Amino acid sequence: MRPLFRMIVPAFPGDNIFTRQAKRTTALGPILIATAANKLLGWRVEVVDENNCPGAPKDENGLLDHVALQKENPATAVGFYCGLTSTIPRVWDIADFYHRRGTFNIAGAWHAHYCPEETLQNDIDVVVHCDAEEAIRQILSGLGKENFLENIPGISFLQNGHFKTSAPKIDQVFGLDPNLSNLPFPDFGLLKYARIKLYPISRIKGCSGNCEFCSVKEKPRWASAEYLFETVKWLVETRKAKRFFLVDDSLKEDLAGATKFFNMVADRYGDRLDFSIQLWLKIAENTEFLQAIKGAGVRRVCIGVESPIDEDLRAMRKGYNSDKMLEWLKILQRYAKTHIMLIAGYPVKERDVFLSAEKIVKRFRRFIRKAHPDSVHVMLPGPGVGTDLRKRLKEEGKLFSEDVVSWRYYDGRFVLFRPDDNMSLQELQDLPLKIMSRFYHPLSFVRVVIKTIIFPLDFFIRGWKNWHRGWTREVVKSGGYLLMRKWKTRQQVDKFIEKLEDR
Ligand code: B12
Ligand code: SF4
């Protein structure tokens, strides 16, 4: 039997706003790498996603049972998706399990890229930096040969206990494949046990922005509009795919290409397909693009609004101030549902005005009320690995080190640094839930009932679209309220802040 390469997407450390979505989708990077590996003769390839594996064997903690997987179908090489820092402790646990069984362990994506030495000390044999489509094939073809890692570009490994790297830069991101249009389409058929309802797709890598809290530091590159259109068409034809999430951070890097892509979709499918996309707020000024997304069935736009406070926006280096935010959001709402993402309690080096936690809550709540989005996600500032924010907080002596706050807390819900004098640790920790508690309110349950009862009248007066959007918004708010209650209890049980205050 040919050897097996198993790619693993590790489980999130706890329930967060993405848990439900994760059960219907998967991470695109590991699928692309598995697709490239599967083109090699001599290897079998599979992907397992611990967040989406309803049909898989489970262990006593309800997690994917790797003992059973290895027994049934032993892997020779294992790949670990390390794109989200919060999942890294889980990677280390499984990597240890596989290493004891003699597998060759390979890690890739953001966390491993920025922290290769730490990764290699945790049962990983090689870290692949950035684009890994070519490197994975070279690693698997060389496996077992002497010094086979030596001439592979863009990797790090230990040689006789010494760190060796062929990556050009580790504090930056680089692209190894100059032509993204040449890459194969993602083969979701390699994913075992999962139910995929929402297909992640991508065309543009990198961003020309310079936000302080962001790890994406790659100069933008993109595949052609035709490449993405053909990907969609292929997924529709081979998998009956209907819903897509375009994961590109920054469509604005090639707005003409993005517009062309959506026009191609509209020509072929009208608005029958369902797309969610991420948008830069200022794109609201480009009517041609907005018309294209509407025509192609873009149902939902996710917008990193970040903050309604100008001082925060300046510190983040977001590239705009709050002046026209509401105006832009109103425009976008005419074209699609809006999901806005905000960061509360951003650490600003020097504040002109003293803003207490209470004032910040009020400012954010007022903004959300005026913006009237379809859904909201407020998170805490995340000094992720590789970000300038992390560097600054470290220099200012405010960052909690990894031995105080484990990587598992890096999911946007926990305090990771000492706040400025304007608030206590507990106040900072409470900001997101306090802000969101007005939007995700138990009254929404009542509103769902009322909206259901008045449906015939509302349908008659405002039409199906308006009624349905209002009704869905209240359903989402009710779900959000239940989720937030769950978090609150978890956080109390965790006594997270008490432990930090003791430091
Ligand atoms: C889509 C997305 C999500 C999705 C899905 C995430 C997922 N993949 O599971 C959702 C919405 C769930 C999400 C949530 C969050 N996200 Co997010 N997300 C992204 C985004 C925009 C795109 C990721 C993607 O699919 N890219 C396209 C693929 C093709 O690229 P890729 O994953 O890098 O894969 C390539 C290489 O890395 C490598 N590779 C990938 N896997 C493997 C595996 C092996 C073995 C090898 C060898 C190579 C390899 O090869 C691939 C192809 O070239 C990125 C930004 C970005 N540009 O990456 C942020 C990003 C990954 N997210 C980020 C963050 C901070 C979050 C949140 C914490 C946000 C929040 N505060 O709520 C949450 C995390 C929640 C949690 N549970 O921890 C940070 C990650 C920082 C970090 N180190 O953790 C990023 C980088 C954005 C940023 N601004 O910095 N996110
Ligand atoms: S947060 Fe978004 S806009 Fe800012 S640098 Fe990162 S990808 Fe670009």
Side-chain angles (χ1 to χ4, degrees), residues 16 18 33 81 85-86 109-110 133 205 215 249 278 377 379:
N16 59 32
F18 306 112
I33 299 311
Y81 172 60
T85 292
S86 67
W110 296 105
E133 281 85 350
K205 285 191 173 186
S215 351
D249 297 290
Q278 315 199 88
H377 180 199
M379 51 203 143

Side-chain angles (χ1 to χ4, degrees), residues 206-211 213-216 249-250 252 280 306 318:
C207 173
S208 57
N210 184 26
C211 301
F213 56 83
C214 182
S215 351
V216 181
D249 297 290
S250 193
K252 71 174 189 302
W280 195 49
E306 320 306 3
K318 199 63 205 169

Side-chain angles (χ1 to χ4, degrees), residues 383-408:
V385 294
T387 64
D388 290 348
L389 175 61
R390 185 173 189 82
K391 219 156 108 198
R392 169 160 74 87
L393 290 173
K394 224 179 206 171
E395 281 163 13
E396 291 172 2
K398 291 181 182 161
L399 186 77
F400 291 119
S401 61
E402 299 88 86
D403 46 321
V404 178
V405 176
S406 146
W407 292 131
R408 71 185 293 275

Side-chain angles (χ1 to χ4, degrees), residues 20-297:
R20 221 177 121 241
Q21 174 178 321
K23 291 190 168 109
R24 295 176 293 156
T25 184
T26 192
L28 179 61
I31 296 288
L32 289 175
I33 299 311
T35 305
N38 199 38
K39 306 275 175 216
L40 270 181
L41 280 180
W43 282 86
R44 288 175 297 139
V45 177
E46 68 179 30
V47 185
V48 287
D49 183 339
E50 294 200 312
N51 298 304
N52 180 357
C53 53
K58 301 280 163 54
D59 65 14
E60 67 280 6
N61 299 317
L63 291 167
L64 186 64
D65 185 353
H66 292 274
V67 179
L69 291 197
Q70 249 337 59
K71 209 161 151 194
E72 192 187 305
N73 211 355
T76 303
V78 183
F80 294 90
Y81 172 60
C82 301
L84 297 175
T85 292
S86 67
T87 63
I88 290 304
R90 174 69 182 159
V91 168
W92 294 346
D93 282 353
I94 335 172
D96 170 55
F97 164 84
Y98 278 99
H99 235 187
R100 286 167 195 267
R101 279 145 188 90
T103 60
F104 185 81
N105 290 349
I106 309 164
W110 296 105
H111 190 92
H113 164 67
Y114 284 120
C115 307
E117 294 184 64
E118 174 205 73
T119 307
L120 292 167
Q121 277 151 19
N122 284 283
D123 292 288
I124 298 295
D125 297 297
V126 59
V127 167
V128 184
H129 297 267
C130 307
D131 296 345
E133 281 85 350
E134 195 44 51
I136 194 71
R137 286 150 49 122
Q138 295 178 7
I139 292 169
L140 293 180
S141 342
L143 197 61
K145 295 181 193 143
E146 211 179 321
N147 298 331
F148 72 102
L149 293 176
E150 295 245 300
N151 297 318
I152 303 178
I155 62 168
S156 295
F157 56 100
L158 296 178
Q159 197 171 52
N160 305 323
H162 295 291
F163 179 71
K164 271 199 91 170
T165 187
S166 56
K169 303 173 218 144
I170 288 178
D171 59 341
Q172 284 296 317
V173 186
F174 49 88
L176 290 176
D177 196 321
N179 190 346
L180 299 181
S181 301
N182 282 343
L183 294 175
F185 299 150
D187 183 354
F188 291 93
L190 298 172
L191 183 64
K192 271 177 103 171
Y193 309 119
R195 230 189 335 242
I196 297 285
K197 292 261 181 250
L198 180 66
Y199 286 84
I201 50 171
S202 169
R203 184 174 80 88
I204 303 180
K205 285 191 173 186
C207 173
S208 57
N210 184 26
C211 301
E212 194 193 30
F213 56 83
C214 182
S215 351
V216 181
K217 293 178 172 173
E218 181 185 4
K219 271 214 243 125
R221 307 171 287 143
W222 52 86
S224 63
E226 287 79 6
Y227 168 84
L228 189 61
F229 175 72
E230 288 303 325
T231 308
V232 167
K233 189 163 160 277
W234 183 70
L235 290 171
V236 171
E237 286 165 0
T238 58
R239 299 187 58 88
K240 297 194 171 55
K242 192 171 177 301
R243 297 186 57 209
F244 300 90
F245 177 22
L246 183 55
V247 299
D248 299 346
D249 297 290
S250 193
L251 290 185
K252 71 174 189 302
E253 305 301 346
D254 178 32
L255 205 54
T259 311
K260 184 173 180 192
F261 162 72
F262 287 116
N263 282 334
M264 288 169 89
V265 171
D267 283 349
R268 172 86 190 206
Y269 299 104
D271 65 358
R272 285 203 303 284
L273 302 179
D274 175 326
F275 290 89
S276 296
I277 60 175
Q278 315 199 88
L279 280 190
W280 195 49
L281 197 44
K282 259 184 161 173
I283 272 184
E285 291 178 348
N286 189 315
T287 314
E288 190 194 352
F289 172 74
L290 295 181
Q291 270 160 358
I293 64 171
K294 190 165 186 178

